[in-house]
Amino acid sequence: MKHINLSFAACGFLGIYHLGAASALCKHGKKLLKVVKAFAGASAGSLVASVLLTAPEKIEECSQFTYKFAEETRRQSFGAVTPGYDFMARLRSGMELILPFNAHELAQNRLHVSISNTETRENYLVSNFSSREDLIKVLLASSFVPIYAGLKPVEYKGQKWVDGGLTNSLPILPFGRTVTISPFSGRLDISPQDKGRLDLYVNITKQDIMILVNVKHFVGTRAVRNILPNHLTTKQTKPQLKKHPYHILLSKGRRNTTKTSHWNKDQNHLIIGTSYQYPAGSKS
């Protein structure tokens, strides 16, 4: 059989999609996994790739951690950027819990992690890990979104590194056939099959993503949840909405509404976030 690789795209909290794919492969694709020579990934994709390679029996445990991590982030006043909340420390705790003691040995020359150099702005695929700590640092670097995850990039081998998804969100290895996996529709082997789509694509850091007719669904539900694991509900009050950093106040109208995004037909642009429309006659 031809040399096969698996590559998981960068996708933030949508990494839960990768975990679902990994779980399905463990249950129904055992023959395929036996012939996979290398695993690759960027950001959340690299985390799932590392677990599938070094500790496939912990996929479910990893899923539970992801749910709790997302819930914890949602509870923060300003999400991951809430002062005092250490997003990266929480992520590291999950790695420490799930990765086996010999993870670096299992990953040596088989796991290819996409990271971005802050000085040269170039992409690097790291596949050599001298220790478990070395592997964890590279995975943290690949997941470090500037400002969102913190202000200080991850230091590795005397240099500073950030999210690999900024320069190469879907690594294609130069050898063999790379099977690509992403929660975004596009020219991919494993991805959601969205309805009502156009045959148009946009290339975002080396990943071809399909442009959907239903722009609201794509941006509001997936692109936003890439970094915001949830949205406000319609049960929240006006004062609560004002406290949320992503809410947008609209003109007065007949009823209250909250949504993650909507298309402004009059001004021909997309508003992303949570909107609030005041009842007619109310004070802003």
Side-chain angles (χ1 to χ4, degrees), residues 224-236:
V224 171
R225 289 191 183 178
N226 181 17
I227 57 174
L228 302 178
N230 199 5
H231 60 283
L232 293 177
T233 67
T234 54
K235 294 181 180 180
Q236 289 181 290

Side-chain angles (χ1 to χ4, degrees), residues 43-93:
S43 195
S46 68
L47 302 180
V48 176
S50 67
V51 175
L52 183 58
L53 171 59
T54 67
E57 72 282 358
K58 291 189 175 183
I59 292 293
E60 179 57 32
E61 184 178 347
C62 189
S63 297
Q64 293 304 316
F65 169 79
T66 303
Y67 292 139
K68 292 178 181 178
F69 190 19
E71 179 62 31
E72 181 181 290
T73 303
R74 282 198 297 265
R75 287 200 302 265
Q76 306 304 313
S77 299
F78 300 102
V81 298
T82 301
Y85 181 65
D86 196 332
F87 181 88
M88 295 301 286
R90 189 70 180 92
L91 183 58
R92 171 184 269 275
S93 70

